[in-house]
Amino acid sequence: MSKSISSLTVLSIGLVLSAFLTSCKDKTTSPEKPGPPNIVYIMTDDHGYQAISAYNGGLNETPNIDRIANEGIKFTRSFVTNSICSPSRAVMLTGKFSHLNGQQINSQRFDGSQMTFPKLLQKEGYQTAMIGKWHLGSDPTGFDYWNILPGQGDYYNPDFIEMGEKSVVEGYVTSLITKFSLDWLKGRDEKKPFALLMHHKAPHRCWMPDIKYLEKYNDIKFPLPDNFYDAYDNRTAAAEQKMHIKDFDLVNDLKMYDKEGEFDTSLRKFFESQINRMNPEQRAAWDKAYDKEIAYFKEAKLTGKELMEWRYQRYLEDYLRCIASVDDSVGEILDYLEENGLAENTLVVYTSDQGFYLGEHGWFDKRFMYEESFRTPLVMKLPSRFKANASVDQLVQNIDYAPTFLDLAGVEIPADMQGKSLLPLVGEDGNREWRDALYYHYYEYPGPHSVKRHYGVRTDRYKLIHFYNNIDQWELYDLQEDPAEMNNLYGDESYTQIQAELHDKLNELRVQYKDTAAVEMAE
């Protein structure tokens, strides 16, 4: 009996030891592959690439956004299809141009019944969340959880709509969006992959910074862009816009909200509605900072170029102060992912819904197909898949985001999505066959800022634009020789062949993206 027990014991010990050694060997030689990657998509509103230090803008420092670029990929030529808020958001969700997804201008209501990438991820077991600025009229669909700002949202003590329930939340909007995003991440089902869309209001007009940054940049004088005093020669649409620094509202945009009411501007009452949202502590800090600015302005009695350049400085100070809070937010998200072992297998994307003018051509806002608004920042990292500190120079566009997220998750990309997955560009060679031109179409006229309707094509070096509707003018730019787009070459005999090739390419893209009917009607 004892001999039998001894034999069984030895056999059991041998089997356990064998299993242990096999297990150790497997973990050493065949590490477990990571599951489907998580996705954190961070999008701001109107953040120009010139105001990100990873893009060598020189205006400010954005160390946390730069962390994404340093640990991953910086796209040096990333663009949008329609440089305005709501249409850009619809393009991102659907992977389709505005004429197909139905969101051509801001005032339209997004059709939430159509297919979007969050819905497709949801079907494959992803947890999905949308937090922050939605700005699409209809309620979000395709999300397990959503908590959004109504309309444009407010900077201080804003309203939020959480799964249909509206409430006022005390705090600063950028910090609140960050808090709600972290709360959702902490409460998610840890067994499932997730996709979080975190959309900031900042740095959208009217640029109201958090109280901790109200005096940041006070001692800095920002350099004027070389074409700040653009005369718009041979560019009718550029001359007739209403988005010049001189068009700023003195109270709403430049914060000259004087208690005496001397500056009774058209947007004063709107600004009052914003500032009256503040609690006493916030308002005291605000008044302490801006009363000094108001007193200086009243005493200085600026005119001419001095006035114009003061307006520019005031604009940049508040705009960049808002971005400082956004950069803090990005840092909090990155820290959370790292501290909780999620960084390696989480795609983190930082971008904006479009670019923005920071004084170039004397402008603020966006809309035009000129580079500063057409181009948008795009950085992303996924340590388990992407190289660190790499650049992609190919022409990419926001129609490419949805296909990229689906491709990364192993989900079939619908045939009617018009974008392309960016994954071939971030592989080892990074030089796969890619598009050689981009198509753009802007529709919101008549509308704010009076930017004419236009469409066009951009190649590696050239850009052809057609302004239409109540105007019929073509513009051609050689971006190598004229990166600031000051010299319209359309009709120049030395560019006859290039002009013809661009017309052919434009027609080709109109057919490819099924935009021929809209353009033919306009013509």
Side-chain angles (χ1 to χ4, degrees):
M1 187 72 157
S2 62
K3 183 177 179 180
S4 175
I5 294 172
S6 177
S7 298
L8 287 171
T9 302
V10 170
L11 178 61
S12 299
I13 292 172
L15 289 172
V16 171
L17 181 62
S18 174
F20 173 75
L21 292 173
T22 301
S23 175
C24 289
K25 181 179 179 181
D26 286 348
K27 286 183 179 179
T28 302
T29 59
S30 302
E32 185 180 350
K33 287 186 178 181
N38 306 306
I39 298 169
V40 175
Y41 175 84
I42 306 171
M43 185 167 73
T44 43
D45 196 316
D46 297 342
H47 190 175
Y49 63 88
Q50 316 94 300
I52 294 178
S53 44
Y55 283 95
N56 303 315
L59 291 173
N60 61 337
E61 295 295 326
T62 51
N64 292 301
I65 299 170
D66 293 0
R67 281 168 64 184
I68 302 174
N70 294 337
E71 296 171 18
I73 311 287
K74 177 175 69 175
F75 291 81
T76 62
R77 293 195 292 181
S78 167
F79 298 85
V80 296
T81 62
N82 182 359
S83 183
I84 188 168
C85 300
S86 298
S88 187
R89 292 160 195 274
V91 167
M92 176 273 297
L93 289 167
T94 63
K96 299 176 184 178
F97 275 84
S98 301
H99 62 281
L100 293 185
N101 66 45
Q103 194 77 30
Q104 295 174 302
I105 62 177
N106 271 342
S107 60
Q108 290 168 314
R109 182 180 175 89
F110 180 66
D111 176 9
S113 68
Q114 63 187 303
M115 187 54 66
T116 63
F117 81 83
K119 290 181 182 179
L120 294 169
L121 292 178
Q122 229 181 8
K123 288 182 179 179
E124 296 298 322
Y126 270 75
Q127 299 167 90
T128 57
M130 166 64 221
I131 298 172
K133 184 171 179 178
W134 177 243
H135 198 218
L136 282 169
S138 56
D139 288 342
T141 56
F143 299 98
D144 300 306
Y145 173 80
W146 51 273
N147 192 0
I148 62 170
L149 298 165
Q152 294 283 6
D154 301 297
Y155 275 104
Y156 279 89
N157 307 323
D159 295 331
F160 274 88
I161 305 173
E162 182 180 19
M163 303 294 286
E165 295 295 323
K166 187 175 181 180
S167 62
V168 178
V169 185
E170 188 89 356
Y172 184 68
V173 67
T174 305
S175 300
L176 291 171
I177 291 170
T178 308
K179 177 187 181 301
F180 296 150
S181 297
L182 289 171
D183 287 347
W184 183 81
L185 286 170
K186 292 170 185 175
R188 75 193 190 283
D189 183 348
E190 296 185 5
K191 296 178 182 177
K192 295 181 179 179
F194 63 84
L196 167 63
L197 277 60
M198 178 181 173
H199 293 188
H200 284 295
K201 171 185 172 62
H204 193 276
R205 190 183 184 194
C206 60
W207 313 297
M208 297 180 74
D210 194 356
I211 57 174
K212 67 179 177 179
Y213 287 128
L214 288 177
E215 301 196 39
K216 188 176 177 68
Y217 303 114
N218 272 6
D219 299 325
I220 293 178
K221 184 172 183 179
F222 297 104
L224 291 175
D226 291 340
N227 59 356
F228 184 76
Y229 288 109
D230 189 349
Y232 315 118
D233 296 331
N234 198 21
R235 286 165 288 143
T236 303
E240 294 182 358
Q241 46 63 43
K242 299 296 181 186
M243 47 185 265
H244 196 279
I245 299 294
K246 71 177 187 300
D247 297 317
F248 275 143
D249 186 274
L250 193 59
V251 173
N252 185 64
D253 297 315
L254 302 175
K255 314 302 185 296
M256 297 295 103
Y257 181 70
D258 62 321
K259 296 177 178 62
E260 299 77 18
E262 180 180 339
F263 306 127
D264 186 17
T265 66
S266 62
L267 293 179
R268 184 181 178 95
K269 289 192 181 300
F270 172 78
F271 185 73
E272 282 179 348
S273 73
Q274 298 299 297
I275 205 167
N276 287 341
R277 300 187 72 93
M278 296 180 178
N279 62 34
E281 179 186 359
Q282 294 164 342
R283 184 60 185 273
W286 182 276
D287 288 345
K288 180 182 177 183
Y290 288 99
D291 282 353
K292 292 181 288 187
E293 296 281 357
I294 295 167
Y296 166 77
F297 180 70
K298 285 190 171 185
E299 183 178 346
K301 300 188 184 305
L302 303 171
T303 58
K305 285 190 173 183
E306 282 189 330
L307 175 60
M308 197 68 69
E309 292 172 20
W310 173 84
R311 285 171 168 260
Y312 167 73
Q313 296 295 328
R314 283 291 310 114
Y315 162 44
L316 278 199
E317 286 167 9
D318 284 339
Y319 177 87
L320 297 175
R321 288 164 179 162
C322 291
I323 290 172
S325 292
V326 170
D327 192 70
D328 289 344
S329 168
V330 172
E332 289 187 58
I333 297 297
L334 294 179
D335 289 347
Y336 172 83
L337 296 174
E338 291 172 2
E339 291 164 4
N340 290 275
L342 296 167
E344 188 71 14
N345 198 38
T346 298
L347 172 71
V348 180
V349 178
Y350 184 88
T351 188
S352 176
D353 55 357
Q354 63 260 323
F356 213 65
Y357 293 99
L358 304 183
E360 298 89 0
H361 303 285
W363 295 341
F364 68 101
D365 208 69
K366 55 263 185 178
R367 302 168 194 266
F368 279 107
M369 195 186 170
Y370 305 132
E371 291 292 283
E372 290 82 6
S373 59
F374 182 29
R375 183 178 165 192
T376 192
L378 178 63
V379 292
M380 60 176 68
K381 77 181 187 79
L382 177 58
S384 64
R385 295 280 299 270
F386 299 168
K387 296 176 289 186
N389 198 26
S391 290
V392 169
D393 300 324
Q394 284 90 343
L395 298 168
V396 306
Q397 211 161 13
N398 56 346
I399 48 169
D400 300 327
Y401 300 172
T404 301
F405 301 151
L406 295 175
D407 192 12
L408 196 59
V411 178
E412 184 177 356
I413 301 168
D416 61 350
M417 279 193 175
Q418 296 178 304
K420 302 170 67 172
S421 170
L422 299 173
L423 295 192
L425 301 183
V426 299
E428 286 303 314
D429 55 28
N431 289 307
R432 305 291 178 88
E433 184 178 344
W434 195 249
R435 65 170 64 95
D436 61 1
L438 301 171
Y439 181 64
Y440 179 90
H441 198 157
Y442 173 81
Y443 304 86
E444 193 165 288
Y445 182 90
H449 303 300
S450 298
V451 174
K452 312 290 189 183
R453 299 181 197 184
H454 59 287
Y455 59 91
V457 59
R458 186 205 195 277
T459 66
D460 179 67
R461 177 170 173 174
Y462 301 103
K463 184 182 294 183
L464 179 69
I465 308 172
H466 183 212
F467 292 93
Y468 70 91
N469 184 241
N470 68 337
I471 184 177
D472 181 12
Q473 186 172 67
W474 290 88
E475 296 182 5
L476 169 64
Y477 297 98
D478 182 338
L479 299 172
Q480 179 175 295
E481 299 299 321
D482 178 27
E485 296 167 292
M486 299 288 287
N487 184 21
N488 178 12
L489 298 168
Y490 197 81
D492 187 319
E493 291 185 1
S494 60
Y495 283 83
T496 299
Q497 181 62 32
I498 291 166
Q499 183 172 303
E501 292 172 358
L502 288 170
H503 273 287
D504 289 343
K505 174 56 72 171
L506 179 59
N507 290 333
E508 176 189 323
L509 292 180
R510 284 166 51 179
V511 172
Q512 177 183 335
Y513 293 124
K514 303 178 181 179
D515 197 28
T516 53
V519 174
E520 285 167 0
M521 286 175 62
E523 293 176 341

